[in-house]
């Protein structure tokens, strides 16, 4: 089963961009996922179980390394990446 996730991270600190960038950089270390980032959010596409495991791991790492943050996520089944919509 494929999954599409839109995720936004809001670190609860004055200097927030390094925490967000570190989270996005870690998502990009997983070559089996498709990660698209824009100024509002990051979209991640891939296998359901793998994607959920990666989010679980990377969100925990973000909390441990950077402290409190809010994650706002939208989940929808299927691969809604731009490549798939145009195919």
């Amino acid at each position: 089963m494929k999954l599409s996730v839109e995720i936004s991270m809001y670190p609860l600190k004055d200097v927030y961009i390094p925490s967000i960038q570190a989270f996005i950089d870690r998502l990009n270390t997983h070559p089996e996922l498709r990660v698209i980032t824009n100024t509002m959010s990051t979209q991640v596409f891939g296998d359901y179980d793998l994607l959920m495991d990666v989010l679980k791991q990377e969100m925990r790492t973000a909390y441990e390394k950077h402290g409190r943050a809010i994650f706002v996520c939208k989940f929808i089944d299927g691969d809604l990446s731009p490549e798939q919509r145009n195919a």
Side-chain angles (χ1 to χ4, degrees):
M1 176 178 184
K2 297 292 183 185
L3 182 66
S4 299
V5 179
E6 182 178 64
I7 185 167
S8 298
M9 178 184 181
Y10 301 97
L12 299 178
K13 57 170 93 180
D14 291 335
V15 180
Y16 55 88
I17 291 177
S19 300
I20 296 169
Q21 190 61 56
F23 178 72
I24 294 168
D25 290 346
R26 285 192 312 276
L27 288 177
N28 278 303
T29 66
H30 301 274
E32 56 281 347
L33 300 178
R34 172 90 167 107
V35 180
I36 301 173
T37 303
N38 62 50
T39 57
M40 298 286 292
S41 65
T42 298
Q43 298 171 342
V44 189
F45 309 94
D47 176 74
Y48 180 94
D49 291 325
L50 175 68
L51 182 44
M52 294 301 285
D53 288 345
V54 167
L55 287 179
K56 176 183 169 184
Q57 170 190 333
E58 299 303 350
M59 290 172 67
R60 181 182 183 111
T61 299
Y63 287 134
E64 290 172 345
K65 288 187 174 184
H66 302 285
R68 273 199 177 160
I70 298 168
F71 287 92
V72 177
C73 304
K74 296 182 222 175
F75 299 87
I76 186 165
D77 64 319
D79 185 343
L80 298 181
S81 62
E83 301 84 36
Q84 296 302 316
R85 286 186 289 191
N86 295 327

